[in-house]
C-alpha cells in the first residue's frame, strides 16, 4: 500500500475500505465547496457510495491504472489526491485533487501534488503528467502553475457541471522538464 510522509504532521495514504466513514464525513461536510468544481457530489449520497468509490479505486490500482490517496494532516483526513488513470503505452498520467475548505491556504495540495509528480516520474518512470482545471477555477490552476507545469491549451466545454458546461485548461509537464527544474 502506498504511503508517503510529507512532513511530521502530513501523510499521503492510499485509500482503503477502512477509510470509508472518514472520507464520507469529509465529503458530506464539503458538499457546497466541492460542488462548485467537481461533478460527482450528487452521486455520493451515502457511505455505501463512498465505499464503492474506494473499492473501484483499489480495483483500478490492482489493474495498474490509477492510485487514489488521502491526505492526512495531524491525523485527520483533509483531502484526496490521485492519478485518475495511467496510459502505460505512452507513459502518461493525470492528477486530480480536492481539499477540505478549512484546510486551504497552507500549501497542502501543492506539496502533495509535488510528491505525486515526483513518484510518477521517479518511481513509475512515466514521461508526461497532465492536470486539467476549469478555466475559472483559479485556486486549482495555481497548483500546476506553482509546480512549473506548462499551460497547453483550452478544451472547450470539456465538462458538464450539473447545469452547465465548463471549459478546461490543460497543463502538462514532461520528465525532462522536471529533471531540468530539479537541477536548477
Ligand atoms: C483546488 C484546491 C485543492 C486548492 O487548495 P489550496 O489550499 O488553494 O491549495 P494548497 O493547499 O496548495 O495551498 C495553496 C495556498 O497556500 C499558500 N501556501 C502556504 N504555504 C505554502 C507552501 N509551503 N507551498 C505552497 N503554497 C503555500 C499559497 O500561497 C496559497 O495561498 P493563496 O491561495 O492565498 O495564494 C481547493 O481549493 C479545492 O479543493 N477546491 C475545490 C475542488 C477543486 O476545485 N478541485 C480541483 C478540480 S480541477
Amino acid at each position: 500500500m502506498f504511503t508517503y510522509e510529507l512532513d511530521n504532521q502530513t501523510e499521503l495514504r492510499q485509500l482503503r475500505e477502512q477509510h470509508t466513514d472518514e472520507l464520507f464525513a469529509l465529503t458530506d461536510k464539503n458538499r457546497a465547496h466541492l460542488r462548485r468544481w467537481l461533478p460527482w457530489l450528487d452521486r455520493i449520497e451515502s457511505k455505501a457510495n463512498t465505499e464503492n468509490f474506494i473499492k473501484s479505486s483499489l480495483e483500478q490500482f490492482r489493474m495498474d491504472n490509477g492510485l487514489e490517496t488521502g491526505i492526512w494532516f495531524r491525523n485527520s483526513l483533509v483531502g484526496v489526491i490521485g492519478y485518475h488513470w495511467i496510459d502505460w503505452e505512452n507513459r502518461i498520467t493525470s492528477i486530480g485533487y480536492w481539499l477540505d475548505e478549512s484546510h486551504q491556504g497552507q500549501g497542502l495540495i501543492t506539496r502533495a501534488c509535488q510528491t505525486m509528480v515526483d513518484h510518477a516520474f521517479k518511481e513509475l518512470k512515466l514521461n508526461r503528467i497532465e492536470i486539467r482545471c476549469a478555466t475559472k477555477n483559479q485556486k486549482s490552476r495555481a497548483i500546476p502553475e506553482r509546480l512549473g507545469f506548462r499551460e497547453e491549451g483550452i478544451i472547450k466545454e470539456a465538462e458538464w457541471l450539473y447545469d452547465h458546461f465548463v471549459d478546461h485548461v490543460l497543463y502538462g509537464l514532461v520528465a525532462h522538464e522536471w529533471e531540468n527544474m530539479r537541477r536548477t
Side-chain angles (χ1 to χ4, degrees):
M1 283 289 160
F2 176 91
T3 57
Y4 191 94
E5 199 178 295
L6 298 185
D7 58 42
N8 59 8
Q9 36 188 20
T10 321
E11 191 172 55
L12 301 182
R13 297 178 199 154
Q14 182 165 12
L15 287 171
R16 284 179 277 159
E17 281 99 331
Q18 71 201 59
H19 303 132
T20 299
D21 287 4
E22 209 176 348
L23 180 57
F24 178 73
L26 183 71
T27 308
D28 207 33
K29 174 183 163 215
N30 279 282
R31 269 179 203 284
H33 161 59
L34 300 178
R35 209 174 179 281
R36 187 157 174 230
W37 297 117
L38 296 173
W40 43 260
L41 272 300
D42 293 355
R43 296 197 292 272
I44 305 291
E45 291 178 328
S46 64
K47 286 182 189 172
N49 301 139
T50 296
E51 191 177 13
N52 283 339
F53 162 73
I54 292 175
K55 280 185 172 154
S56 67
S57 77
L58 287 169
E59 185 53 28
Q60 246 186 305
F61 180 73
R62 273 189 284 272
M63 307 285 286
D64 237 355
N65 188 28
L67 170 66
E68 292 293 343
T69 74
I71 302 166
W72 267 264
F73 179 65
R74 296 182 182 155
N75 270 327
S76 294
L77 178 64
V78 297
V80 172
I81 186 163
Y83 307 129
H84 292 309
W85 42 261
I86 300 174
D87 171 351
W88 287 103
E89 201 170 321
N90 299 301
R91 294 195 285 141
I92 307 174
T93 192
S94 165
I95 294 180
Y97 40 73
W98 60 267
L99 186 65
D100 175 44
E101 189 168 15
S102 62
H103 284 85
Q104 293 178 115
Q106 304 174 50
L108 285 170
I109 289 290
T110 303
R111 288 188 298 126
C113 195
Q114 174 78 67
T115 298
M116 297 304 278
V117 166
D118 288 345
H119 182 75
F121 286 138
K122 219 159 102 188
E123 309 299 329
L124 304 182
K125 310 285 183 213
L126 297 178
N127 184 54
R128 174 180 160 80
I129 302 175
E130 298 180 352
I131 296 180
R132 282 167 60 153
C133 314
T135 49
K136 293 185 179 155
N137 191 348
Q138 291 303 340
K139 277 189 183 298
S140 182
R141 293 182 62 161
I143 310 293
E145 287 172 7
R146 219 175 267 128
L147 294 177
F149 281 61
R150 225 170 336 90
E151 188 179 321
E152 295 183 327
I154 303 292
I155 306 164
K156 291 296 288 181
E157 301 193 2
E159 186 174 36
W160 178 253
L161 276 183
Y162 308 99
D163 56 4
H164 65 290
F165 282 111
V166 290
D167 296 346
H168 278 178
V169 52
L170 174 66
Y171 290 95
L173 182 67
V174 294
H176 64 83
E177 293 169 330
W178 171 79
E179 279 291 346
N180 288 342
M181 282 192 286
R182 279 155 48 101
R183 269 193 221 111
T184 53

